[in-house]
Amino acid sequence: SEVTFYADDIVPRITYGTNPGAGIAVDGTVPLLESLSEAERVQLESQLEYMQFRPGQKLEGTPVDYCFLGACTNGRIEDFRAFAYMVKGHHKAPGVTAWLVPGSWKVKQQIVEEGIDRILAEAGFEVRMPSCSACLAMNPDKVPAGKLCISTSNRNFVGRQGPGSRTVLASPLTVAASAVTGVITDPRKLKSSDSQQ
């Protein structure tokens, strides 16, 4: 069989739990417990307790403390281009810590050659040195306990970005929009508001 998908119909996704499969539309709500089996209910309750979310909660608009773009997953030049496209003409929200980490030295070089570093600097962001960084908290780039990070990395396990840290996985565009607004933000809405100004 042949299946056709239209990209315009696909809503950006974010995670709400502590595994990459626990995802919803960015404007959706956390699943309710009633429709789940006993085992699924226990698992969801455990994830939500750690993440400090609740069943039926809408995550869009939830304040973020950290924003992470990078790692081998989303530290490519295409990801930095997308991030720069989203933040151009805006400024990083006060109180948000943003770590933008190229996946390699070649990507870092391309960022400079294409002037992406200047766009990001004008918006209040700094491009860091290539490394794993906050993807797995292997160095000082650790999200403090209880703080919420919206991240382009590929894992959101308990403590993955630092002991007690909470991670919402998202695309580079969603992370960029959230870094500008200070809350989990649907990037389509930020761009829509840009075009109306």
Side-chain angles (χ1 to χ4, degrees):
S1 64
E2 184 175 301
V3 180
T4 301
F5 295 94
Y6 295 96
D8 286 346
D9 297 337
I10 301 172
V11 177
R13 311 256 318 156
I14 58 172
T15 59
Y16 58 84
T18 55
N19 71 67
I24 55 173
V26 68
D27 59 356
T29 57
V30 174
L32 298 172
L33 299 173
E34 290 74 25
S35 61
L36 304 176
S37 69
E38 181 61 29
E40 291 171 330
R41 187 178 302 117
V42 169
Q43 183 183 42
L44 179 58
E45 286 175 336
S46 173
Q47 291 186 58
L48 296 184
E49 180 181 0
Y50 180 83
M51 290 298 295
Q52 300 174 28
F53 296 147
R54 63 185 185 283
Q57 179 180 350
K58 192 176 177 76
L59 298 187
E60 187 177 16
T62 300
V64 297
D65 303 296
Y66 287 77
C67 294
F68 176 63
L69 171 74
C72 56
T73 311
N74 284 110
R76 300 163 299 185
I77 189 61
E78 295 88 348
D79 305 312
F80 276 82
R81 289 172 184 150
F83 195 98
Y85 162 78
M86 186 60 62
V87 303
K88 189 172 185 176
H90 294 279
H91 201 275
K92 182 179 73 65
V96 170
T97 299
W99 291 325
L100 312 186
V101 184
S104 70
W105 285 102
K106 179 174 180 171
V107 173
K108 170 87 170 172
Q109 181 182 355
Q110 288 176 290
I111 289 168
V112 173
E113 288 172 353
E114 294 183 19
I116 292 171
D117 58 332
R118 292 192 299 275
I119 294 170
L120 296 173
E122 286 172 11
F125 297 94
E126 175 191 354
V127 178
R128 298 165 67 106
M129 293 295 110
S131 71
C132 291
S133 184
C135 176
L136 70 166
M138 240 174 77
N139 54 26
D141 293 347
K142 291 181 176 66
V143 176
K147 298 296 184 182
L148 184 65
C149 179
I150 185 162
S151 173
T152 67
S153 53
N154 56 18
R155 296 290 184 270
N156 55 340
F157 302 144
V158 170
R160 170 76 177 196
Q161 293 193 288
S165 63
R166 302 182 299 138
T167 300
V168 170
L169 300 180
S171 72
L173 291 174
T174 302
V175 171
S178 304
V180 163
T181 62
V183 298
I184 295 175
T185 299
D186 184 337
R188 300 169 304 170
K189 293 179 181 174
L190 183 65
K191 272 300 163 192
S192 174
S193 69
D194 285 354
S195 63
Q196 293 170 9
Q197 292 176 359

